Amino acid sequence: MIDQVLVLNSGSSSIKYRLIDMTARRETARGLAERIGEETSVLTHDGVRVERRLADHEEGLRAVLAAFAEHGPPLDRVAAVGHRVVHGGSRFVQPTLIDDEVERAIEELAPLAPLHNLPNLEGIRVARRVFPDLPHVAVFDTAFHGTLPPHAYTYAVPREWTEKLGVRRYGFHGTSTAYVSRRAADLLGRPYDEVNSIVLHLGNGASATAVLGGRSVDTSMGITPLAGLVMGTRSGDIDPALPAYLNRVAGMSLADVDDALNRESGMLGMCGANDLREVWKLADSGAQDARLAMEVYGHRLRGYIGAYYAVLGRVDALVFTAGVGEHDARTRALAVSGLSRLGIEIDPVRNAAPETGPRTISPEGAEVAVLVIPTDEEMEIADQTVACVESRSH
């Protein structure tokens, strides 16, 4: 029985970590090493903040270990390390015990997610050096969508692109969606494999996923996280000919267009703010571009909800999660506006209540339960890490 799992999420200049007690199913420590490689790095361990230079991820992780040694809790009960990896392609659809071959495969998949996979891999390599005697498990953000049927993941493009270049829909936010959809079934008191849900992961990045009896059968993000819903700085769905058009009429390079669609579009591009709290303030102050931005945001959400209702045929739950989904009652109301004919509506009092845990915000007896469920990707990574390690030991 695995007692504790250390969960690591390595970014290009950061290491986010949580220590999870699997017996009590609770977090015992968390922290973040950030600005790694800059003149002044910051390590925050359970609220204790220290500024010092961390030249690379190895120094960062060793500083994390020093923080555990100084402030606790001890790491002597850690039995496995779980790593978040963004892109597993079509090869990794389950949590995977990491060895040298898996490391090479993660590196080979880097062109699909260059901003994420390489930093994830750096964290893995450092952690395997620091914890050489512990099993390390990669949990892939794309893995939950490994159940997508071919008609959902196949793009209508030349077959050579799909077969040789891996061009297809992969989807993201899978770790969060897996956790939240399972908790939704628990909240409804029904077996997971009997519940159909639409999960809306709404943060600065945003996605919608149709979950049929515990299996992802459609999702809004594609080969990259750019597709689908309107996001903080990402455009979501656009005419695929737009880059060629901008190149032709404005002389923009493909790299410039790609950067703009990922970092300068979405809510930021429409109204100058990417935080929806700020966008709502602007809209309330009379800013027409902010009002339009929220209308566009809501329109795209409702379109995906309706589409995934059609995909599933029967919907038992509509689930909101992540920063916006968990805390923004006005955006939740906007998302379901006009959907009562589908059995989807919310109770205004329940929706506005200042609660933070898993809860139902639809009226009593509603045809479709509308739920708010806080996500916990680290707990999901820990659970999958345990399952992977224990399956190898039997």
Side-chain angles (χ1 to χ4, degrees):
M1 180 67 183
I2 289 181
D3 193 1
Q4 290 190 344
V5 173
L6 180 63
V7 176
L8 298 178
N9 181 357
S10 299
S12 58
S13 61
S14 66
I15 302 173
K16 180 181 178 182
Y17 61 93
R18 280 176 68 183
L19 181 63
I20 296 180
D21 184 321
M22 301 307 295
T23 304
R25 295 195 63 74
R26 65 181 180 87
E27 167 193 301
T28 58
R30 72 161 61 201
L32 173 66
E34 54 187 333
R35 302 178 192 169
I36 294 172
E38 299 182 17
E39 281 303 313
T40 302
S41 309
V42 179
L43 173 62
T44 306
H45 178 84
D46 272 353
V48 179
R49 177 186 169 96
V50 177
E51 292 188 5
R52 52 170 289 192
R53 187 168 190 274
L54 302 172
D56 52 30
H57 280 69
E58 181 138 9
E59 280 195 15
L61 188 53
R62 294 196 182 277
V64 169
L65 298 186
F68 273 108
E70 182 177 356
H71 303 290
L75 293 173
D76 55 324
R77 290 160 50 207
V78 173
V81 182
H83 298 266
R84 177 177 182 252
V85 181
V86 167
H87 216 307
S90 55
R91 174 171 177 176
F92 296 108
V93 295
Q94 298 290 340
T96 303
L97 201 63
I98 299 171
D99 56 19
D100 292 347
E101 182 181 348
V102 170
E103 280 193 12
R104 285 192 293 272
I106 292 172
E107 187 169 22
E108 289 168 3
L109 290 165
L112 292 170
L115 298 180
H116 298 93
N117 268 37
L118 292 179
N120 297 159
L121 179 60
E122 178 64 18
I124 288 170
R125 286 172 170 160
V126 168
R128 289 183 71 200
R129 290 196 295 270
V130 173
F131 298 105
D133 299 323
L134 293 181
H136 293 255
V137 175
V139 177
F140 297 89
D141 213 25
T142 52
F144 183 68
H145 303 300
T147 56
L148 288 175
H151 63 258
Y153 70 66
T154 301
Y155 290 135
V157 297
R159 189 183 301 175
E160 183 178 2
W161 296 4
T162 61
E163 293 177 349
K164 295 184 178 180
L165 303 177
V167 174
R168 51 159 286 181
R169 182 182 304 279
Y170 291 102
F172 299 87
H173 293 150
T175 307
S176 171
T177 302
Y179 178 86
V180 167
S181 59
R182 195 174 295 110
R183 297 290 84 76
D186 293 342
L187 197 59
L188 296 177
R190 296 174 57 182
Y192 187 38
D193 61 3
E194 293 180 8
V195 175
N196 292 355
S197 60
I198 299 172
V199 176
L200 301 176
H201 179 111
L202 306 181
N204 195 48
S207 66
T209 301
V211 183
L212 178 70
R215 296 176 296 110
S216 173
V217 293
D218 209 347
T219 192
S220 58
M221 287 179 166
I223 189 172
T224 76
L226 181 62
L229 302 174
V230 175
M231 303 172 231
T233 65
R234 298 181 203 144
S235 65
D237 292 338
I238 58 166
D239 186 327
L242 180 59
Y245 172 80
L246 292 172
N247 174 259
R248 189 168 62 249
V249 303
M252 295 180 68
S253 69
L254 289 179
D256 289 341
V257 176
D258 184 66
D259 189 67
L261 292 176
N262 277 284
R263 295 181 173 84
E264 301 171 9
S265 298
M267 304 303 282
L268 180 66
M270 287 189 287
C271 69
N274 64 296
D275 187 317
L276 259 63
R277 291 168 295 190
E278 182 63 26
V279 178
W280 278 120
K281 288 180 183 177
L282 291 170
D284 291 340
S285 71
Q288 293 301 315
D289 53 355
R291 289 183 180 178
L292 175 60
M294 289 311 307
E295 290 171 2
V296 173
Y297 189 93
H299 177 75
R300 188 73 58 84
L301 274 171
R302 291 189 295 273
Y304 268 95
I305 293 169
Y308 288 169
Y309 200 116
V311 167
L312 293 170
R314 186 200 79 241
V315 176
D316 301 301
L318 175 67
V319 188
F320 289 93
T321 194
V324 173
E326 293 169 27
H327 303 294
D328 191 336
R330 291 180 70 179
T331 296
R332 293 193 298 260
L334 181 69
V336 304
S337 175
L339 299 183
S340 58
R341 287 286 298 271
L342 298 178
I344 300 174
E345 51 189 327
I346 60 174
D347 181 301
V349 175
R350 288 181 171 181
N351 186 41
E355 298 180 32
T356 57
R359 58 201 184 274
T360 302
I361 60 171
S362 48
E364 199 70 37
E367 180 182 340
V368 177
V370 181
L371 311 175
V372 178
I373 300 180
T375 191
D376 193 338
E377 292 176 279
E378 287 82 10
M379 182 61 77
E380 181 67 21
I381 290 171
D383 282 335
Q384 292 193 29
T385 296
V386 170
C388 179
V389 172
E390 291 185 343
S391 69
R392 291 299 185 98
S393 64
H394 294 317

